Amino acid sequence: MTVLCLVELDAGGTVAAASLRGLSLARAHASATTGDPADSAPPPTIPSGPSGPSGQLAAAVFGAVDQLPLGTLGGAGVSDVCAVPPQYLDGYAPRAWARVLAELTARHNATAVVAAATDRGSEVMAWLGAITGKPVAANCLSAQRSGDGMYQLVRQRWAGLLLEDAILESSPALLTAATDADLGEPAAPPPMAEPAVHLHRPGLTEADLAVRATETADEGGGVSLATARVVVGGGRGVGGPDGFAPLEELAGLLGGVVGVSRVVTSQGWRPHTMQVGQTGTKITPELYLACGISGAIQHMAGCGSAKHIVAVNTDPAAPIMSRADYAVIGDLAEIIPALVAALKERG
Amino acid sequence: MCVKRVPQVGGRIVITPDGQDVETRMSGFAISPHEECAVEEAVRLTQRLGGTATVLTLGPPAAAEQLRDALAIGAGHGILLETDGREWGPIATAAAITDAVRRKAAAGDSLGYDLLLFGNEAADTGDYQVGVRVAESLGWPCATGIKHLEVDGATVRARREYRGTGETFEFGLPAVISVKEGINLPRYPSLPGRLRAKRAVLEQHQPQWSADGLRKTGLRVPAERRQQATVLGSGPDAVPALVQLLDELGVLR
Ligand SMILES: Cc1cc2nc3c(=O)[nH]c(=O)nc-3n(C[C@H](O)[C@H](O)[C@H](O)COP(=O)(O)OP(=O)(O)OC[C@H]3O[C@@H](n4cnc5c(N)ncnc54)[C@H](O)[C@@H]3O)c2cc1C
Ligand SMILES: Nc1ncnc2c1ncn2[C@@H]1O[C@H](COP(=O)(O)O)[C@@H](O)[C@H]1O
């Protein structure tokens, strides 16, 4: 069987981290796992079935052919790279990308199509589902083939607060892979020779190209919330728009940024771009220092992947206390300025 | 705009004993924050450009509550696509919404809707697809994840952020847009608004359920990752311990 995976590239031409997740979900060759994938966190896989032939993993990539990250793709188990170069389709056009996936599915006789559940991946798979009339299972953690055109899935619901066990009956199976799940590191795939590259020239209609993105340069330019190594969080406990100065100073000293809770953005104390959580940004720092934040599950949905969480809170019984690794009990308006002073003294 | 009634989830999600649903006996219901913003955006657009904002939901009879919440904020008309409480998948949901849009265009009282606003994803299922499916079956252009929207005559300009880069989409009406929280700050309903909403007559239809190819067999709460936090101390006295910890974690520069 062949599994087709949409691979997104970063600005520098490397494989986007989320797409590596997608590839590991798609990797037909990965060893069949047993047990409960979501709880014991082995790598997510689509095994080719007990007696199935060894599978092929094809990657759909939009980008210049001479700059494809073939090493990374081969290392991720990809056997075939289907490249759509800019002269055939330049830039992002969601329905056109979905059309390409539909064409490649037919050409490779793919039994499953996978994309990382990024904004683009989710959107393209929604279009693929819409133009083919097939269901799309979003935010999957694992997908086991349980029969012809049958998949046993585990997927996230409520932004990862719940898991759903489900059966998908569809051929091909259309899946998006959860990008923020705490799955542990995906197991290394079997070594793969450099993948074969196929150029694909899509047959696009006007309707496929009706919606196209025009990209505008990077805004802000500073450290981004999503990729910051240190995030200093501020919630209702900060007290108001003027209470953030010490947090911002601390973030500056640690080379990080300030993130906030929804209370802070809905009060208009800080813009929504700074919100961490289910409907804000998902962060993955080494350290999340959560100040005056109660730790509501919708907030934790955005910071649960932080390596270490330290809470500063007046309430020793706040829910964040059972999600943080360390805590300081007390008033952040006293503790944070004292911490800033101590760090400055250290030099 | 299309909104979905979902359980209001507080500090903890509890699952019903049969493992099939979220326990709602102790909680209320709401629409997702993205959809609250879709409602606000629609009300602002009609206030600025004229016309009527219609709010639609597919759900049980009790979902009328969510329609009235939107009417209280300034929507002019409410449509309830009534279900028998079964869970509808995105394909069936999109088909029912598409029918409602076509019904309006066929009614002849106007040319139909110019703009359909959706939430980017529903809070419960997070399927990220109903809006796109509706756009496809109507043959309308669609942009998702939108955080900034301008309507200028018959043209929409919609912007979103993608990995630090801005993406702008521009196309003609009629169109479908899925919005994200942050596009605006939704207002609170006024008292006269609430009264108007209470009296409003809702349009009702009973669409036909159909299976979607994806069948839920159960829900569960993922295993908690963390234990009780280690308390470093209280107040500013804990600062030296905190500095030492930051040093050990390797985040000091
Ligand atoms: C569908 C949905 C999506 C949501 N999405 C998000 C989201 O993306 N992000 C998000 O953050 N929330 C989200 N929420 C809201 C979430 O449920 C909480 O309401 C919110 O996170 C609470 O913010 P908070 O912790 O700042 O405020 P509170 O819950 O009020 O907590 C304030 C905390 O500060 C402490 N405190 C008070 N004073 C001090 C002081 N002087 N020093 C130290 N500590 C102090 C208190 O003990 C308390 O623990 C969402 C809700 C829903 C329903
Ligand atoms: N039952 C429903 N009734 C009305 N609108 C819905 C319903 N389900 C989904 N939607 C709309 O479609 C958006 C995307 O939903 P989903 O594809 O399920 O994540 C939601 O934010 C709503 O705007």
Side-chain angles (χ1 to χ4, degrees), chain B residues 42-76:
Chain B
V43 170
R44 286 187 194 185
L45 283 170
T46 52
Q47 282 175 345
R48 201 154 43 78
L49 304 170
T52 308
T54 297
V55 57
L56 174 150
T57 193
L58 175 130
E65 180 191 350
Q66 279 60 49
L67 294 179
R68 293 194 195 279
D69 287 349
L71 291 167
I73 278 171

Short mmCIF file of all heavy atoms in Angstrom, two decimals, chain B residues 42-76:
data_model
loop_
_atom_site.label_atom_id
_atom_site.label_comp_id
_atom_site.label_asym_id
_atom_site.label_seq_id
_atom_site.Cartn_x
_atom_site.Cartn_y
_atom_site.Cartn_z
N ALA B 42 -20.07 39.72 11.95
CA ALA B 42 -21.26 39.85 11.09
C ALA B 42 -22.09 41.06 11.51
O ALA B 42 -22.57 41.82 10.67
CB ALA B 42 -22.09 38.57 11.16
N VAL B 43 -22.24 41.23 12.82
CA VAL B 43 -23.03 42.36 13.32
C VAL B 43 -22.35 43.68 12.93
O VAL B 43 -22.99 44.62 12.45
CB VAL B 43 -23.23 42.25 14.84
CG1 VAL B 43 -23.83 43.53 15.40
CG2 VAL B 43 -24.13 41.05 15.16
N ARG B 44 -21.03 43.75 13.08
CA ARG B 44 -20.31 44.97 12.70
C ARG B 44 -20.47 45.26 11.22
O ARG B 44 -20.67 46.40 10.82
CB ARG B 44 -18.82 44.83 13.02
CG ARG B 44 -18.53 44.94 14.49
CD ARG B 44 -17.04 44.97 14.76
NE ARG B 44 -16.81 44.72 16.18
CZ ARG B 44 -15.62 44.78 16.76
NH1 ARG B 44 -14.56 45.08 16.05
NH2 ARG B 44 -15.50 44.54 18.05
N LEU B 45 -20.34 44.21 10.39
CA LEU B 45 -20.44 44.41 8.93
C LEU B 45 -21.81 44.94 8.54
O LEU B 45 -21.92 45.87 7.75
CB LEU B 45 -20.17 43.09 8.20
CG LEU B 45 -18.71 42.66 8.09
CD1 LEU B 45 -18.60 41.23 7.57
CD2 LEU B 45 -17.94 43.62 7.18
N THR B 46 -22.87 44.36 9.13
CA THR B 46 -24.20 44.83 8.74
C THR B 46 -24.47 46.23 9.30
O THR B 46 -25.18 47.01 8.68
CB THR B 46 -25.30 43.86 9.20
OG1 THR B 46 -25.15 43.61 10.59
CG2 THR B 46 -25.23 42.55 8.43
N GLN B 47 -23.88 46.54 10.44
CA GLN B 47 -24.07 47.89 10.97
C GLN B 47 -23.40 48.92 10.06
O GLN B 47 -23.88 50.02 9.90
CB GLN B 47 -23.52 48.00 12.40
CG GLN B 47 -24.48 47.38 13.41
CD GLN B 47 -23.94 47.36 14.83
OE1 GLN B 47 -22.75 47.56 15.05
NE2 GLN B 47 -24.83 47.10 15.79
N ARG B 48 -22.27 48.53 9.47
CA ARG B 48 -21.53 49.46 8.64
C ARG B 48 -22.08 49.50 7.21
O ARG B 48 -22.18 50.55 6.60
CB ARG B 48 -20.06 49.07 8.63
CG ARG B 48 -19.11 50.17 8.23
CD ARG B 48 -17.72 49.97 8.83
NE ARG B 48 -17.26 48.61 8.73
CZ ARG B 48 -16.77 48.06 7.63
NH1 ARG B 48 -16.69 48.77 6.52
NH2 ARG B 48 -16.35 46.82 7.62
N LEU B 49 -22.43 48.33 6.68
CA LEU B 49 -22.77 48.25 5.26
C LEU B 49 -24.25 48.06 4.99
O LEU B 49 -24.68 48.04 3.85
CB LEU B 49 -22.00 47.09 4.61
CG LEU B 49 -20.48 47.10 4.77
CD1 LEU B 49 -19.88 45.79 4.31
CD2 LEU B 49 -19.89 48.26 3.97
N GLY B 50 -25.05 47.89 6.05
CA GLY B 50 -26.47 47.61 5.86
C GLY B 50 -26.69 46.12 5.68
O GLY B 50 -25.75 45.33 5.73
N GLY B 51 -27.95 45.74 5.51
CA GLY B 51 -28.26 44.32 5.35
C GLY B 51 -28.58 43.68 6.69
O GLY B 51 -28.64 44.35 7.73
N THR B 52 -28.77 42.38 6.66
CA THR B 52 -29.15 41.65 7.88
C THR B 52 -28.14 40.55 8.15
O THR B 52 -27.69 39.88 7.23
CB THR B 52 -30.53 40.97 7.69
OG1 THR B 52 -31.45 41.94 7.23
CG2 THR B 52 -31.04 40.36 8.99
N ALA B 53 -27.84 40.35 9.44
CA ALA B 53 -27.01 39.22 9.85
C ALA B 53 -27.94 38.11 10.32
O ALA B 53 -28.75 38.31 11.22
CB ALA B 53 -26.06 39.63 10.97
N THR B 54 -27.83 36.95 9.69
CA THR B 54 -28.64 35.79 10.08
C THR B 54 -27.75 34.80 10.80
O THR B 54 -26.65 34.50 10.33
CB THR B 54 -29.26 35.12 8.84
OG1 THR B 54 -30.13 36.05 8.21
CG2 THR B 54 -30.04 33.87 9.21
N VAL B 55 -28.21 34.28 11.94
CA VAL B 55 -27.43 33.28 12.66
C VAL B 55 -28.12 31.93 12.51
O VAL B 55 -29.34 31.83 12.62
CB VAL B 55 -27.22 33.67 14.15
CG1 VAL B 55 -28.55 33.87 14.87
CG2 VAL B 55 -26.37 32.64 14.87
N LEU B 56 -27.33 30.91 12.21
CA LEU B 56 -27.87 29.58 11.96
C LEU B 56 -27.17 28.57 12.85
O LEU B 56 -25.95 28.64 13.05
CB LEU B 56 -27.65 29.22 10.49
CG LEU B 56 -28.00 27.81 10.01
CD1 LEU B 56 -28.41 27.86 8.54
CD2 LEU B 56 -26.86 26.82 10.19
N THR B 57 -27.93 27.62 13.39
CA THR B 57 -27.30 26.51 14.08
C THR B 57 -28.01 25.22 13.75
O THR B 57 -29.21 25.20 13.50
CB THR B 57 -27.25 26.71 15.61
OG1 THR B 57 -26.36 25.75 16.17
CG2 THR B 57 -28.60 26.55 16.27
N LEU B 58 -27.23 24.14 13.71
CA LEU B 58 -27.79 22.81 13.58
C LEU B 58 -27.59 22.13 14.92
O LEU B 58 -26.45 21.99 15.38
CB LEU B 58 -27.08 22.05 12.46
CG LEU B 58 -27.49 20.59 12.29
CD1 LEU B 58 -27.82 20.32 10.84
CD2 LEU B 58 -26.40 19.65 12.75
N GLY B 59 -28.68 21.76 15.56
CA GLY B 59 -28.55 21.17 16.88
C GLY B 59 -29.91 20.84 17.45
O GLY B 59 -30.93 20.99 16.77
N PRO B 60 -29.93 20.39 18.71
CA PRO B 60 -31.20 20.04 19.36
C PRO B 60 -32.03 21.30 19.59
O PRO B 60 -31.50 22.41 19.49
CB PRO B 60 -30.75 19.43 20.68
CG PRO B 60 -29.42 20.05 20.95
CD PRO B 60 -28.79 20.25 19.60
N PRO B 61 -33.32 21.13 19.92
CA PRO B 61 -34.18 22.29 20.15
C PRO B 61 -33.56 23.30 21.13
O PRO B 61 -33.72 24.51 20.96
CB PRO B 61 -35.46 21.69 20.71
CG PRO B 61 -35.49 20.30 20.15
CD PRO B 61 -34.07 19.86 20.02
N ALA B 62 -32.84 22.79 22.13
CA ALA B 62 -32.25 23.68 23.14
C ALA B 62 -31.22 24.63 22.54
O ALA B 62 -30.86 25.64 23.16
CB ALA B 62 -31.60 22.85 24.25
N ALA B 63 -30.72 24.35 21.33
CA ALA B 63 -29.73 25.22 20.70
C ALA B 63 -30.33 26.58 20.33
O ALA B 63 -29.59 27.50 19.96
CB ALA B 63 -29.12 24.55 19.47
N ALA B 64 -31.65 26.70 20.45
CA ALA B 64 -32.29 28.01 20.26
C ALA B 64 -31.67 29.04 21.21
O ALA B 64 -31.59 30.22 20.89
CB ALA B 64 -33.79 27.88 20.52
N GLU B 65 -31.20 28.57 22.37
CA GLU B 65 -30.55 29.45 23.35
C GLU B 65 -29.34 30.15 22.71
O GLU B 65 -29.12 31.36 22.92
CB GLU B 65 -30.10 28.59 24.54
CG GLU B 65 -29.40 29.34 25.65
CD GLU B 65 -28.75 28.37 26.66
OE1 GLU B 65 -29.01 27.14 26.59
OE2 GLU B 65 -27.97 28.86 27.49
N GLN B 66 -28.54 29.41 21.92
CA GLN B 66 -27.36 30.00 21.31
C GLN B 66 -27.76 30.99 20.21
O GLN B 66 -27.10 31.99 20.01
CB GLN B 66 -26.44 28.91 20.77
CG GLN B 66 -25.55 28.26 21.83
CD GLN B 66 -26.33 27.59 22.95
OE1 GLN B 66 -27.25 26.80 22.70
NE2 GLN B 66 -26.00 27.90 24.19
N LEU B 67 -28.87 30.69 19.52
CA LEU B 67 -29.35 31.64 18.51
C LEU B 67 -29.76 32.94 19.19
O LEU B 67 -29.45 34.04 18.73
CB LEU B 67 -30.53 31.04 17.74
CG LEU B 67 -30.23 29.82 16.87
CD1 LEU B 67 -31.51 29.33 16.20
CD2 LEU B 67 -29.18 30.17 15.81
N ARG B 68 -30.46 32.81 20.32
CA ARG B 68 -30.94 34.02 21.01
C ARG B 68 -29.77 34.84 21.56
O ARG B 68 -29.83 36.06 21.60
CB ARG B 68 -31.95 33.66 22.10
CG ARG B 68 -33.23 33.08 21.51
CD ARG B 68 -34.40 33.02 22.49
NE ARG B 68 -35.44 32.14 21.96
CZ ARG B 68 -36.34 32.50 21.04
NH1 ARG B 68 -36.35 33.73 20.57
NH2 ARG B 68 -37.23 31.63 20.59
N ASP B 69 -28.71 34.17 21.99
CA ASP B 69 -27.52 34.91 22.44
C ASP B 69 -26.99 35.78 21.30
O ASP B 69 -26.60 36.94 21.52
CB ASP B 69 -26.40 33.94 22.86
CG ASP B 69 -26.70 33.25 24.20
OD1 ASP B 69 -27.66 33.69 24.88
OD2 ASP B 69 -25.99 32.29 24.53
N ALA B 70 -26.97 35.23 20.08
CA ALA B 70 -26.47 35.99 18.93
C ALA B 70 -27.44 37.10 18.54
O ALA B 70 -27.03 38.20 18.16
CB ALA B 70 -26.21 35.06 17.74
N LEU B 71 -28.74 36.82 18.66
CA LEU B 71 -29.74 37.85 18.36
C LEU B 71 -29.61 39.01 19.34
O LEU B 71 -29.76 40.17 18.98
CB LEU B 71 -31.14 37.24 18.42
CG LEU B 71 -31.48 36.23 17.30
CD1 LEU B 71 -32.75 35.45 17.63
CD2 LEU B 71 -31.63 36.93 15.95
N ALA B 72 -29.27 38.69 20.60
CA ALA B 72 -29.15 39.73 21.63
C ALA B 72 -27.99 40.67 21.31
O ALA B 72 -27.99 41.83 21.70
CB ALA B 72 -28.95 39.07 22.99
N ILE B 73 -27.01 40.17 20.61
CA ILE B 73 -25.83 40.98 20.28
C ILE B 73 -26.08 41.82 19.04
O ILE B 73 -25.39 42.80 18.79
CB ILE B 73 -24.60 40.05 20.14
CG1 ILE B 73 -24.06 39.75 21.53
CG2 ILE B 73 -23.53 40.64 19.28
CD1 ILE B 73 -23.00 38.71 21.55
N GLY B 74 -27.08 41.45 18.23
CA GLY B 74 -27.39 42.29 17.08
C GLY B 74 -27.72 41.56 15.80
O GLY B 74 -27.94 42.19 14.77
N ALA B 75 -27.71 40.21 15.84
CA ALA B 75 -28.14 39.48 14.64
C ALA B 75 -29.63 39.75 14.44
O ALA B 75 -30.38 39.95 15.40
CB ALA B 75 -27.88 37.98 14.80
N GLY B 76 -30.07 39.74 13.16
CA GLY B 76 -31.44 40.11 12.87
C GLY B 76 -32.39 38.95 12.70
O GLY B 76 -33.61 39.11 12.79
#
